[in-house]
Amino acid sequence: PPFGLAEIRAAIPKHCWVKDPWRSMSYVLRDVVVVLGLAAAAARVDSWLVWPLYWAAQGTMFWALFVLGHDCGHGSFSSNAKLNSVVGHILHSSILVPYHGWRISHRTHHQNHGHVEKDESWQPLSERLYNSLDYMTKKLRFTMPFPMLAFPLYLFARSPGKKGSHFNPSSDLFQPNEKKDVITSTASWLAMVGILAGLTFVMGPLKMLKLYAVPYVIFVMWLDFVTYLHHHGHEDKLPWYRGKEWSYLRGGLTTLDRDYGWINNVHHDIGTHVIHHLFPQIPHYHLVEATEAAKPVLGKYYKEPEKSAPLPFHLLGVLAKSLNSDHYVSDTGDVVYYQTDLKTSSSAQSSD
C-alpha cells in the first residue's frame, strides 16, 4: 500500500486512544446484569416456548462477555494491567475460556495476521497438509455446523498442523516466563468447572443444560462465526502471505469489517475489525469513529462491509459459500490465494 501505519495512526483522533476504565466497567455491569436477568427470568417461567428464545439471547450475551474479556487481553479495557487481568479472568472463566492461555495465542494471531504459517487463528491449510487429512476430517472442517463448534477443540489441541494446548504451560504456544500466567488461568478454568458441577448437583442436570450448556454452545457458534468471517468470505479472493511479502500492515489489511445489525452494539462493535487488528489498543467504543477517520487514508484497501438487516442472516450465505470454496493454499509462493477441492465442495457433489 502507498501508506504506512504512521499515516493511519495520524488520521485517528487522539481521544480514540484514551482508555476509560469506568466506561469499560459500565459495559461489564450492563452485560452481567442482562445475563443474570435472562437466567432468572427463564428459570422462573420455565416454559419450552421461552427456552429457545433464552438460548439465543443468552448465548449472544456470553459472546458479549467474551469480547469484553478479549479487550482485557489486549489492554484496551484499561491501562491497569491488574484490573485487566482480574476482569478478564472473571469474564472468560465464567464461559470456560482460559484467559491467559487464549490471550497469549490471540496476541500471536495479531502479530502474524495474514501469514500462511505463522498466523494462529483460522489460518489456511497448505495443500500438502490438506491432502494429508482423511476424508472425514475434511468434511468436518468444511461442512456446517461442525466448523462453528471448533473453538473448544482449538483450546485443547489447536488447529491442524499445530501442536499444543491452551491449558498446558509447557505448550509451544507459551514462553517459559508465561508459565505462571497459564497455570493461573487453567486453575481458574478448573474452578469454574467445579462451580458448574456443584450447580448441576444442586439444580439437576436438565436445568443446567437449559440454563448454561445450550447458551455455551450458542456462544461458541457466535465466536467461530465472527472470527471466521473476519478473515474469510470476501467476494474478491484475499491474499495470504509468506516470507518477505508479508508485513504487519499487509496482513492487517486482509482482515474484514462486518456489519451485524442490531448485534453491533450487543457485541461491542467487534465487527469493526480492520482498525482493531492494526491497533488493538484502541477501546472498542472508539473503533467506529477511528475507522471512519482512517478510511480516507486506507482508500481502496478498505473493503466496505455489506449493510445488515436488524439480524445478520445475510452472513450465513457468505459463510456457506466460503466453506464451500476456501479449502487450501499452494505449498509454494509468497502471495497465495485459497483454492477449491471439488471433492470436498458440496456444490460439486450436488452436480455429480
Side-chain angles (χ1 to χ4, degrees), residues 155-173:
L155 290 178
F156 279 99
R158 296 178 76 190
S159 303
K162 297 197 174 187
K163 297 180 180 180
S165 166
H166 288 75
F167 300 92
N168 181 1
S170 299
S171 170
D172 292 342
L173 276 166

Side-chain angles (χ1 to χ4, degrees), residues 142-209:
F142 297 104
T143 304
M144 288 289 290
F146 303 109
M148 298 298 99
L149 301 171
F151 184 62
L153 297 176
Y154 167 70
L155 290 178
F156 279 99
R158 296 178 76 190
S159 303
K162 297 197 174 187
K163 297 180 180 180
S165 166
H166 288 75
F167 300 92
N168 181 1
S170 299
S171 170
D172 292 342
L173 276 166
F174 313 120
Q175 299 297 320
N177 63 346
E178 295 170 331
K179 285 189 175 183
K180 185 177 179 181
D181 284 343
V182 176
I183 291 171
T184 300
S185 293
T186 299
S188 298
W189 185 90
L190 288 171
M192 184 62 192
V193 171
I195 291 171
L196 292 172
L199 289 172
T200 301
F201 180 78
V202 172
M203 302 173 67
L206 181 59
K207 181 61 70 71
M208 281 301 291
L209 178 73

Side-chain angles (χ1 to χ4, degrees), residues 257-277:
D257 281 9
R258 298 289 188 184
D259 183 16
Y260 298 92
W262 288 344
I263 307 299
N264 287 334
N265 179 262
V266 176
H267 69 186
H268 309 292
D269 289 316
I270 195 64
T272 47
H273 208 65
V274 177
I275 290 300
H276 165 66
H277 247 269

Side-chain angles (χ1 to χ4, degrees), residues 32 52 55 94 112 121 126 152 169 240 252 256 268 287 297-298 312 324:
V32 170
W55 295 332
S94 72
N112 298 280
S121 175
S126 68
W240 289 80
L256 296 165
H268 309 292
L287 282 174
V297 177
L298 297 174
N324 201 42

Side-chain angles (χ1 to χ4, degrees), residues 19-29 77-78 83 285:
K19 308 165 189 176
D20 182 349
W22 292 105
R23 185 171 182 180
S24 296
M25 285 301 299
S26 74
Y27 287 108
V28 173
L29 179 63
F77 188 86
S78 79
L83 177 63
Y285 42 83

